[in-house]
Amino acid sequence: MQAVRRLRAPAVFVVLAASLAGVWTTSVGGIRRADEPSVRAHDSELLAETRLTASQIARWIADARSSLSSTATALGPWTGGGAQLPRARTVLDQGTGLFDGGMLVVDNRGQVVATATQLAALDRQLRPSPAVAAALEGRNGASDLIEDPLLRVVQVALTAPLEDGRGSVTGALVGYSRVPDGTLRARLVAAQSALGHAVFVVTTGSTVLDGTGDAPPSIRHADADVRLPATRASHGGDAGLVRYHGEAGVALQATYATLPDGWSLVMPRPVSTLSVTGRRATSAAGVALAVVLAGSFAAIMALLVLVRSRTARVEETKRAFLAIAGHELRTPLTVMKGFTDLLVTRWDKVPDESRRSILETISFQVRNLEHLVERLLLGAQLEAGVSPSISHEVVELRPLLAATAAHHGAISPSHTFVVDAPAGLDACADRKALDHVLTNLVENAVKYSPNGGVVTLRATSTARDRVLVEVEDEGIGLPTDLDSIFEKFVQREAVDTRVHDEGGVGLGLYIVRTLVDDMGGSVRAERRTPQGARMVVSLPRTVTARRRLRRRRAGPPSP
């Protein structure tokens, strides 16, 4: 008996270890797997922002290059003779355009020989610059940040060689964009104001030009915060993302992109301000496990029984909830926080037009968040059996379909909305609930039609005193299991192709099915050929038809 008692403690520890292993596998592993898609989606959004901003800066460089080439052509074969100089100033004045800092011509010794009117004070020896030196060597496409010690300003300079018509380089054409108020810097400031985080351009000489609204701006040599991503960008390619430690060991995540002329675009952000990662989710789960360890062994065993009996359900709900909390709710909050912080700290430095744009963006995100929370609350009420009060009245369908189409046509201009319903066709339904059903179905059709197309709202009557209300789209289609899309936290496949930023929580069709059931109807999903989906809602035309349906569903009366 004593030997048996000695064996009980090791057996308890073995069972406890096995229990903890099971909890770790189901909870922590599930959290990490659920969080990884959200992290990948968030990183994709950051890369998309970087590519868009880089394309805007690259477009400015391309336009400036085109202006430089046109001016060089207008100057003609350049010999630097006295006869060319009087006309040169007129040509340079006409070619300024994007070069708001002016244009000038230097000879092959670096001496300024012709300037635009606004640069007349620069009739002197130009300070040596790698970009000017490259142009005098016959290399096209050079650019640099050049400091002007006389005017005490820094300017973005693009250069091009000038030839005498026989292949000999006789000088260089130089165009300037001012810092801080030039056209290039204006694009950087606008991008940083819109995105709500730092935007840097790094030159081939490792000089950093930022997008803050300060005057004078911060012109500095690349430090550890931008050096690594700038080096990655200089190796070519499209865009990328890197995590590293910057100044003072701060953990950073930066997106980067390659710009013309060997320049780079870098957007660093502290990791602490970004979305929840798998590591942070795992840490939170570890804390939860520590709390579980403090409980009794009986509670742990009871938890294991519950987890084993409902593993599939718990995993599905956990994954769906983390996807919502990790992306759909965080995205509008992140945008609103970034813009409000910008307005609080830099109100006087943000132009009036930018303030209005920022406030409109915040208002749009507030509406998205309100819509998301309302849908979550309604879904929770329906799950708890607290359905909204449903009335049964005669509702004319054509005006209701037309109003829904008009509303979504205003917010989804890339789609065409068609209403196909005869006048005078009625249904026995609750007007508010039916409007909610139509809104959810049309939102779903728009969301999964990323390339636009036609969304059709149709109403027809059947021979059995029923009315069919259909919403058709030309989108990505339906998943294999059609019935599953009406469950909670279920979305169609390939949801990353949706066209609206408000996202989805997988409750829309669940709410549709519940409300339609409460109105005495039914709903089903159908595939369209060659692509697209059709949602069909069946409703009774009269109160009498609804009563017959309810009796049929309830079955024969008890004896």
Side-chain angles (χ1 to χ4, degrees):
M1 180 66 72
Q2 190 70 21
V4 172
R5 288 176 179 173
R6 286 197 299 268
L7 287 175
R8 284 179 181 174
V12 169
F13 282 113
V14 169
V15 173
L16 180 59
S19 302
L20 292 176
V23 173
W24 181 266
T25 301
T26 57
S27 300
V28 178
I31 290 174
R32 184 183 292 114
R33 290 192 300 272
D35 189 68
E36 285 175 355
S38 295
V39 173
R40 287 195 299 270
H42 185 259
D43 290 347
S44 297
E45 292 175 2
L46 298 182
L47 288 173
E49 287 180 353
T50 305
R51 289 188 180 97
L52 177 60
T53 305
S55 68
Q56 295 170 349
I57 304 302
R59 190 178 305 116
W60 182 93
I61 295 176
D63 292 342
R65 284 269 164 230
S66 176
S67 177
L68 205 66
S69 177
S70 298
T71 303
T73 301
L75 287 173
W78 184 259
T79 61
Q84 288 184 295
L85 298 181
R87 180 176 174 273
R89 173 163 294 178
T90 301
V91 174
L92 295 176
D93 283 341
Q94 294 173 348
T96 52
L98 292 177
F99 295 111
D100 43 81
M103 303 181 75
L104 57 82
V105 175
V106 298
D107 61 18
N108 51 19
R109 296 173 301 170
Q111 179 69 40
V112 177
V113 294
T115 69
T117 303
Q118 65 194 94
L119 291 179
L122 295 180
D123 191 7
R124 55 187 170 76
Q125 181 75 23
L126 191 68
R127 186 174 181 178
S129 159
V132 175
L136 292 176
E137 292 173 2
R139 284 181 284 160
N140 209 336
S143 56
D144 199 1
L145 288 180
I146 298 179
E147 182 179 356
D148 189 325
L150 181 63
L151 300 180
R152 296 183 179 180
V153 296
V154 175
Q155 303 203 67
V156 179
L158 277 70
T159 64
L162 295 176
E163 297 182 353
D164 59 3
R166 293 175 294 182
S168 298
V169 177
T170 53
L173 178 62
V174 185
Y176 291 106
S177 179
R178 294 188 304 266
V179 176
D181 56 345
T183 54
L184 173 59
R185 185 101 194 306
R187 296 201 179 192
L188 280 178
V189 172
Q192 181 159 319
S193 297
L195 297 176
H197 54 72
V199 178
F200 299 105
V201 166
V202 184
T203 71
T204 52
S206 294
T207 302
V208 178
L209 178 64
D210 62 31
T212 62
D214 297 337
S218 171
I219 304 295
R220 57 186 173 84
H221 194 73
D223 55 21
D225 285 350
V226 298
R227 191 179 303 122
L228 176 61
T231 302
R232 295 279 183 91
S234 65
H235 291 162
D238 179 18
L241 183 146
V242 61
R243 293 181 175 89
Y244 59 102
H245 287 84
E247 292 292 305
V250 176
L252 297 174
Q253 174 177 292
T255 50
Y256 57 85
T258 302
L259 295 175
D261 299 342
W263 291 24
S264 314
L265 181 74
V266 178
M267 297 185 183
R269 276 153 281 199
V271 171
S272 60
T273 65
L274 299 175
S275 59
V276 176
T277 64
R279 292 187 297 274
R280 290 177 64 190
T282 303
S283 299
V287 174
L289 288 178
V291 174
V292 174
L293 283 174
S296 65
F297 178 73
I300 295 176
M301 295 303 296
L303 178 62
L304 285 176
V305 172
L306 179 62
V307 170
R308 289 174 182 174
S309 64
R310 301 179 62 188
T311 298
R313 180 82 178 192
V314 169
E315 287 291 331
E316 178 184 357
T317 305
K318 189 186 304 178
R319 183 180 299 109
F321 176 75
L322 287 175
I324 296 167
H327 180 71
E328 305 298 352
L329 293 174
R330 185 179 61 243
T331 298
L333 289 174
T334 301
V335 173
M336 289 188 288
K337 181 180 182 301
F339 279 134
T340 51
D341 288 347
L342 175 65
L343 291 177
V344 169
T345 58
R346 300 181 182 276
W347 176 268
D348 295 332
K349 298 175 182 178
V350 177
D352 291 342
E353 184 177 352
S354 297
R355 290 178 193 164
R356 176 176 294 277
S357 176
I358 289 172
L359 291 174
E360 288 176 350
T361 301
I362 293 174
S363 176
F364 175 75
Q365 294 297 340
V366 167
R367 290 195 300 272
N368 287 344
L369 188 59
E370 181 183 25
H371 181 66
L372 193 63
V373 171
E374 287 177 351
R375 183 165 292 184
L376 283 170
L377 292 176
L378 179 57
Q381 291 174 348
L382 295 177
E383 172 67 12
V386 184
S387 299
S389 177
I390 298 294
S391 63
H392 304 287
E393 55 184 312
V394 175
V395 178
E396 187 175 0
L397 295 176
R398 182 175 177 82
L400 189 59
L401 297 181
T404 303
H407 171 73
H408 287 85
I411 60 177
S412 304
S414 62
H415 292 77
T416 300
F417 294 87
V418 176
V419 175
D420 180 11
L425 181 60
D426 301 327
C428 177
D430 181 277
R431 181 179 298 274
K432 185 176 180 181
L434 184 55
D435 180 70
H436 207 141
V437 167
L438 290 173
T439 298
N440 277 279
L441 292 180
V442 175
E443 282 181 358
N444 231 40
V446 170
K447 186 188 307 179
Y448 294 103
S449 303
N451 298 319
V454 178
V455 176
T456 303
L457 290 78
R458 181 181 296 110
T460 57
S461 60
T462 68
R464 296 187 176 183
D465 208 18
R466 306 285 293 173
V467 175
L468 299 182
V469 179
E470 302 174 0
V471 176
E472 295 180 348
D473 62 67
E474 300 174 343
I476 61 175
L478 293 166
T480 304
D481 186 359
L482 294 181
D483 292 334
S484 67
I485 64 176
F486 294 99
E487 300 296 330
K488 297 185 302 297
F489 302 123
V490 175
Q491 296 176 324
R492 294 195 210 172
E493 299 163 343
V495 295
D496 285 339
T497 58
R498 61 195 178 202
V499 298
H500 287 304
D501 293 335
E502 74 272 19
V505 295
L507 284 174
L509 294 182
Y510 168 76
I511 293 172
V512 166
R513 184 191 64 182
T514 306
L515 293 178
V516 170
D517 285 347
D518 289 344
M519 289 187 290
S522 62
V523 60
R524 67 179 185 272
E526 298 176 353
R527 296 185 179 87
R528 296 186 65 221
T529 303
Q531 67 177 26
R534 179 187 297 110
M535 298 294 173
V536 183
V537 175
S538 175
L539 294 170
R541 289 199 64 179
T542 63
V543 176
T544 303
R546 180 181 176 277
R547 289 172 179 168
R548 284 200 304 267
L549 178 64
R550 293 191 65 178
R551 286 197 299 268
R552 196 160 51 245
R553 287 182 176 179
S558 301

